[in-house]
Amino acid sequence: MSVPAAHSPDTSSRRRRQAEQTQDPLWEHDHHHRHEQMYDRLCGDSTGACASSSHHTSCAALITSCLSPHTCSSRNACEESWEDIQQKRTIRAENEVEANKLVNNYRFGFRKWKSHVTERSFQDRSDVVKELYSELNVIKPHSGRLITCGNVTYVLLFGWWVSLAYYLVGILMFITVIGVPYGKLCWKLACYFLWPFSKSIHEHRFSTYVWLLLGYPPLVVIHFLVCFLSWILIFTIPVSKMNLRALCVILLLPPEDVFVSTCSQQKARENSETRALLCCYQATNWYYYKYTVDGINVFAVNLLPLVIVAIIIGYIDKENKYATSDVKFAIAICSIIPLSYYIGMGIASISAQSNFAVGAVVNATFGSITELTFYITALIRGHKAANPCLQEVVKAALTGTLLGCILFIPGICMIIGGLRHSEQRFNSRSAGVSSALLFISVGGVFAPTLFSKAYGNLVCDACTNSIGGNSTKYINCMPLVYTVSVLLPVAYIIGLIFTLKTHSHIYNIHCLAMICVCAVTSHHGAVVHWSRWRSLVILIVATVLMSACADLATEHIQPILNQPNISQYFIGVTVLAMVPEIPEIVNGIQFALQNNISLSLEVGSCIAVQVCMLQIPILVLFNVFYDVGFVLLFSDMHLWASIFGVILVNYIFMDGKSDYFQGTALVVVYFILLALYYFAPTPAGC
């Protein structure tokens, strides 16, 4: 991808500000003058605001629940509820596909996947992002320091041994005599790769087989190794690009056509007929956490090979000759992270290109597939092995997900967001709806457990209760479990109708669309990363691979559970509960940093509600058709920890404000509960 031509400082700074503003999919109108500017845009000229070609390329569609962009026909139409706009936040999207994704995903109460499903215009990106995708064959002006921690780290990690390899290959070329020109080239490149910064490799305008047979192969190995290591480290991707270009371009050129120059020499050669091949100034860039490959974040790309490794060693090495059960379990659990990301991207892509109904079905079907796959696999394996411990581990994982989503995720987001923005505000009414759903969820899920505490130590296969003397009353408690499992999804659906239809105004999502010409232009210019069919295929494949990894994790979990100093409860509420939620934690932190604390809180609340109102009823329904012995009775620790967590988080959310102290309180309470689980005795049957 070529770097665009340079612009004037004013134009560059103005575009930079515009690009930085478009990075955040949700934003809040915090200042009155912004509303006045938007008012002028919308109503000042209803016919010609976007007539020019410049507006056609830079206008962003502001879309919300209505999804019907209209030109403001009159000033009175725009003045409708204008006072409310100042207190409402507006969803902004670059095009209608992204807007559809935001509406379907951000307001469903399902998972919040932030990644873009369409390609974003390179010209409108910030200078920081442009630098990530820039090629290394362009000499750019550089005024910063060259001696940085990243560049020195490059010398210590890669530079010295790459330079040594070139020096040794150069000696080999001199020994062959016929390869002397390549030997000289290797010695030049040895100096270059030791400290490549501020130096460039040029071409003025295959001479021997000795170079291809003796010199080139070892350097291929060296550069490929450096490419792999620097790509895995992510923040050193510039080093990977540099070595890849050297391997594929520079080393295949005649040696007399290649020379190395420094900054002072570059000016002297500006008018000569030369072509830059390689120029690098910095070995590291901390913003590479934003780097994407075909719309997929680089972290998810790098973790994907773990899935292949987990499946190969898990199903081939049955006797644990090459890897222990502990290693196999760790790899299988870590492989769930990229798969959950791919599943989320598939859901987002299909929802963005579909209507409301399809988006709802896809989200409802695959929204909890990651956790449900693991839970069902564990229950089946525990039932076949007559191991009740796995059922207790599943219950611990369910409780751990609930606690992590209502305490840890909001807490860590409040801390990070509060350190950056001092105090953040969120919609207390919408938080109140989520809080009510949480109370209903926890009350319904633990109703059979409370019933058990009130009327005896119940086992739902043959529930008994001694009522004085020798008389015994048999109680069938399964009807209660089935009743709760039906009522919880019903309450969930009612909550969706309440938030999406009848009382959507509570969420302060204002229905605004910037001039229709802009919206249509953006829509036609949108290039979707994954089509609907491709998304569906990826979604299905990722789900199948998730099932395989979950099967391997449950197969090799027993040695982990047998650790004498760690309670099985602790393993369930930490590793099994929170690893699948890592992408959600990252999303919540990003929202908090962008001062969208409302979304950060909704991330945790929505997952917690899904656990109680969807995942647990599905497990009960699965147990009806395939009896794995799943009984909806939780231990006292699960019961009181969940109730305490819900009460605390509702107290924190009452005032509609958050800061790092409130976040610290939630995180500290979460770690206190983890300490209780860590020192808890082994569950019955384990």
Side-chain angles (χ1 to χ4, degrees):
M1 186 179 295
S2 61
V3 178
H7 302 281
S8 64
D10 294 339
T11 305
S12 299
S13 62
R14 184 165 56 252
R15 289 192 176 184
R16 186 182 306 116
R17 288 193 297 269
Q18 292 174 352
E20 289 173 354
Q21 291 173 359
T22 58
Q23 289 178 355
D24 184 11
L26 273 96
W27 59 293
E28 296 189 6
H29 300 285
D30 297 323
H31 305 287
H32 182 70
H33 73 277
R34 292 186 180 180
H35 300 294
E36 293 177 347
Q37 294 174 355
M38 180 173 291
Y39 189 93
D40 293 337
R41 286 184 182 180
L42 290 174
C43 302
D45 184 2
S46 63
T47 58
C50 293
S52 65
S53 59
S54 61
H55 283 89
H56 277 258
T57 57
S58 62
C59 277
L62 296 181
I63 311 292
T64 55
S65 58
C66 61
L67 281 178
S68 58
H70 297 286
T71 304
C72 297
S73 58
S74 66
R75 192 177 186 88
N76 293 332
C78 289
E79 287 177 348
E80 182 180 355
S81 301
W82 185 251
E83 295 298 328
D84 296 335
I85 296 177
Q86 299 181 16
Q87 303 299 326
K88 295 182 178 182
R89 69 173 186 264
T90 305
I91 294 180
R92 181 175 62 183
E94 290 86 349
N95 51 69
E96 292 183 29
V97 177
E98 290 293 338
N100 198 25
K101 185 206 74 171
L102 292 176
V103 171
N104 281 347
N105 288 343
Y106 284 91
R107 299 187 63 223
F108 263 135
F110 298 109
R111 296 302 181 85
K112 313 296 190 295
W113 296 97
K114 183 178 181 293
S115 300
H116 278 66
V117 297
T118 58
E119 295 182 8
R120 306 176 69 183
S121 174
F122 185 78
Q123 297 295 336
D124 295 334
R125 306 295 291 273
S126 65
D127 291 342
V128 171
V129 176
K130 287 180 180 178
E131 181 64 25
L132 303 183
Y133 298 93
S134 63
E135 297 292 344
L136 299 182
N137 60 344
V138 178
I139 299 177
K140 301 179 291 292
H142 182 75
S143 58
R145 295 183 304 155
L146 295 176
I147 301 178
T148 62
C149 293
N151 291 352
V152 173
T153 302
Y154 161 81
V155 175
L156 298 177
L157 292 180
F158 305 109
W160 69 271
W161 56 276
V162 174
S163 177
L164 178 61
Y166 269 96
Y167 183 77
L168 296 177
V169 172
I171 294 177
L172 179 61
M173 290 295 99
F174 275 105
I175 293 175
T176 63
V177 179
I178 195 174
V180 168
Y182 286 100
K184 294 179 180 179
L185 175 62
C186 286
W187 284 4
K188 291 179 183 179
L189 295 180
C191 298
Y192 177 84
F193 283 106
L194 180 63
W195 185 263
F197 315 110
S198 182
K199 299 176 183 177
S200 60
I201 298 177
H202 294 260
E203 176 192 8
H204 280 294
R205 6 156 261 261
F206 263 149
S207 58
T208 65
Y209 292 102
V210 175
W211 167 250
L212 295 178
L213 294 176
L214 297 180
Y216 186 67
L219 293 178
V220 169
V221 177
I222 294 296
H223 280 295
F224 181 80
L225 182 59
V226 175
C227 281
F228 175 77
L229 294 176
S230 56
W231 181 273
I232 290 297
L233 294 176
I234 293 175
F235 301 108
T236 56
I237 286 181
V239 176
S240 179
K241 291 181 178 180
M242 179 177 63
N243 281 268
L244 182 63
R245 186 162 184 81
L247 181 63
C248 299
V249 177
I250 297 173
L251 295 181
L252 296 178
L253 290 173
E256 62 271 14
D257 291 349
V258 180
F259 69 91
V260 180
S261 64
T262 61
C263 288
S264 59
Q265 295 171 328
Q266 291 171 13
K267 295 181 179 180
R269 298 179 182 271
E270 282 181 353
N271 297 325
S272 62
E273 295 182 359
T274 63
R275 181 167 65 95
L277 297 175
L278 187 58
C279 182
C280 183
Y281 294 99
Q282 299 293 333
T284 60
N285 190 331
W286 302 114
Y287 287 96
Y288 265 98
Y289 70 88
K290 297 183 176 181
Y291 196 75
T292 60
V293 179
D294 195 21
I296 298 298
N297 186 272
V298 64
F299 284 95
V301 174
N302 286 353
L303 289 175
L304 193 58
L306 280 178
V307 179
I308 301 175
V309 173
I311 292 175
I312 291 177
I313 67 173
Y315 288 109
I316 294 179
D317 184 24
K318 288 290 187 179
E319 298 180 357
N320 295 341
K321 292 182 179 179
Y322 304 102
T324 63
S325 291
D326 296 345
V327 173
K328 292 180 179 179
F329 173 78
I331 296 176
I333 284 292
C334 292
S335 65
I336 291 177
I337 299 174
L339 288 175
S340 62
Y341 187 93
Y342 276 82
I343 289 174
M345 278 296 296
I347 294 173
S349 297
I350 295 176
S351 298
Q353 302 171 73
S354 307
N355 56 31
F356 183 88
V358 174
V361 171
V362 172
N363 276 282
T365 305
F366 292 95
S368 299
I369 196 68
T370 301
E371 295 84 354
L372 286 175
T373 300
F374 179 82
Y375 299 152
I376 292 175
T377 304
L379 290 174
I380 292 175
R381 186 171 293 277
H383 178 69
K384 290 181 178 179
N387 183 5
C389 188
L390 288 179
Q391 183 180 145
E392 294 299 324
V393 170
V394 169
K395 293 178 182 177
L398 289 167
T399 308
T401 303
L402 177 64
L403 295 176
C405 291
I406 64 177
L407 295 177
F408 180 75
I409 293 180
I412 197 67
C413 293
M414 285 181 176
I415 292 174
I416 296 177
L419 291 175
R420 183 167 184 175
H421 301 286
S422 182
E423 183 179 86
Q424 296 178 295
R425 296 175 179 269
F426 55 90
N427 190 329
S428 58
R429 291 193 67 189
S430 62
V433 175
S434 300
S435 300
L437 286 175
L438 277 176
F439 271 118
I440 297 172
S441 303
V442 173
V445 166
F446 290 100
T449 305
L450 294 172
F451 186 78
S452 147
K453 302 303 175 187
Y455 293 103
N457 188 17
L458 306 181
V459 179
C460 286
D461 288 335
C463 300
T464 62
N465 179 33
S466 298
I467 308 179
N470 296 325
S471 62
T472 300
K473 181 180 179 181
Y474 290 90
I475 304 175
N476 185 3
C477 57
M478 290 309 295
L480 174 61
V481 173
Y482 298 147
T483 301
V484 168
S485 299
V486 171
L487 291 177
L488 287 177
V490 170
Y492 185 76
I493 295 173
I494 294 174
L496 287 180
I497 295 174
F498 180 84
T499 57
L500 296 179
K501 295 293 183 183
T502 61
H503 290 69
S504 59
H505 61 278
I506 291 179
Y507 284 82
N508 281 345
I509 304 295
H510 180 60
C511 186
L512 239 183
M514 193 175 287
I515 313 301
C516 60
V517 176
C518 303
V520 173
T521 302
S522 298
H523 173 67
H524 289 307
V527 179
V528 182
H529 289 297
W530 297 355
S531 65
R532 278 191 285 264
W533 283 108
R534 183 183 178 187
S535 301
L536 182 60
V537 170
I538 292 176
L539 193 58
I540 294 174
V541 172
T543 303
V544 172
L545 293 176
M546 178 72 71
S547 301
C549 293
D551 179 66
L552 292 172
T554 55
E555 179 182 354
H556 298 283
I557 194 177
Q558 198 58 46
I560 308 296
L561 298 178
N562 292 336
Q563 297 293 328
N565 299 323
I566 303 178
S567 173
Q568 287 83 348
Y569 284 139
F570 182 77
I571 297 172
V573 299
T574 54
V575 178
L576 304 182
M578 297 309 294
V579 166
E581 311 304 332
I582 289 178
E584 301 298 340
I585 297 174
V586 174
N587 285 345
I589 291 174
Q590 288 179 335
F591 293 141
L593 289 174
Q594 295 162 359
N595 205 19
N596 284 325
I597 193 64
S598 294
L599 289 183
S600 300
L601 303 182
E602 288 172 12
V603 166
S605 298
C606 290
I607 299 175
V609 170
Q610 272 194 338
V611 168
C612 296
M613 291 191 165
L614 289 182
Q615 294 181 15
I616 291 179
I618 289 175
L619 292 178
V620 173
L621 180 64
F622 175 78
N623 189 77
V624 172
F625 292 97
Y626 187 89
D627 188 5
V628 291
F630 180 73
V631 180
L632 200 61
L633 292 178
F634 291 83
S635 68
D636 291 355
M637 184 172 295
H638 295 330
L639 171 65
W640 301 121
S642 300
I643 293 177
F644 178 72
V646 172
I647 293 175
L648 176 63
V649 77
N650 276 274
Y651 175 77
I652 294 292
F653 289 173
M654 284 177 60
D655 59 353
K657 303 176 184 178
S658 71
D659 49 52
Y660 74 88
F661 176 74
Q662 292 179 329
T664 302
L666 293 177
V667 173
V668 169
V669 169
Y670 176 72
F671 283 119
I672 290 175
L673 294 177
L674 289 188
L676 294 178
Y677 280 109
Y678 183 85
F679 295 106
T682 301
C686 293

